[in-house]
């Protein structure tokens, strides 16, 4: 389960156990609807193939689960073990996008270019409330035994996938379960994610006399 000082442990295999909060997956596919294919006919139903909703698969190299652990556990036991009630099923699982950390420092796609060394250091130490940095994950903490590079997240870039579809992607081998954050790094990440997304925009700041 990784070294004693490790911040991670390897994910359990396949769909034999519940997905975990702060579990990192690779190759997860999000199907993005083509808005031009969306119409009244596609909503109410039509026999014509030309009226089917079309979607483009978006493959996420990495994603981290931010849904609550207890909700994931209850959903799994209802879905696969026949325990619990229908209200325990999750309709969707919430993920935060994850990219290699260098992409947030040097890339333009995420709009997060860091030009100054001090800003980069705040990012790497998780002192910037918009972003989260994870150190390199060693091979013994990755279920595939490959290890993962340094990773970065922008807290405003998140998405959801139906729970049944997420498990099916894992079952088919499309998405891979890789690694899970240990306590207290799990709580540190989720606290920062939800704190950012619960922030309150003030019309103006307090003034000192």
């Amino acid at each position: 389960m990784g070294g004693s000082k490790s911040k991670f442990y390897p994910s359990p295999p396949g769909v034999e156990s519940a997905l975990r909060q702060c579990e990192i997956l690779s190759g997860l596919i999000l199907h993005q609807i083509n808005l031009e294919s969306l119409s009244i006919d596609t909503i109410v139903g039509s026999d014509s193939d030309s009226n089917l909703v079309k979607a483009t698969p978006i493959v996420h190299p990495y994603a981290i689960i931010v849904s609550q652990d207890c909700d994931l556990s209850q959903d799994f036991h209802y879905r696969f073990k026949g325990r619990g009630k229908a209200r325990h099923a999750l309709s969707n699982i919430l993920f935060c996008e994850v990219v290699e950390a260098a992409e947030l420092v040097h890339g333009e796609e995420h709009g997060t270019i860091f030009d100054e060394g001090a800003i980069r250091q705040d990012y790497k130490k998780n002192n910037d409330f918009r972003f989260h940095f994870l150190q390199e994950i060693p091979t013994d903490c990755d279920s595939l035994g490959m290890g993962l590079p340094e990773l970065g997240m922008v807290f405003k870039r998140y998405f959801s996938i139906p729970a049944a579809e997420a498990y099916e992607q894992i079952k088919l081998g499309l998405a891979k379960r890789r690694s899970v954050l240990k306590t207290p790094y799990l709580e540190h990440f989720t606290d920062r994610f939800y704190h950012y997304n619960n922030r309150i925009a003030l019309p103006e700041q307090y003034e000192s006399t």
Side-chain angles (χ1 to χ4, degrees), residues 9 22 31 54 76 79 96 117 122 131 158 176 178 190:
Y9 66 88
C22 286
H31 292 93
K54 298 178 177 62
F76 176 81
R79 190 178 302 278
C96 185
D122 279 344
F131 312 107
Y158 53 86
K176 309 289 187 181
R178 304 295 296 272
T190 54

Side-chain angles (χ1 to χ4, degrees), residues 111-139:
T112 54
I113 300 175
F114 298 101
D115 295 323
E116 301 178 12
I119 297 176
R120 287 198 297 269
Q121 287 303 312
D122 279 344
Y123 163 55
K124 292 178 180 178
K125 293 179 180 179
N126 286 324
N127 290 332
D128 191 317
F129 73 105
R130 298 168 294 172
F131 312 107
H132 198 84
F133 170 81
L134 293 178
Q135 69 183 54
E136 184 178 344
I137 300 175
T139 57

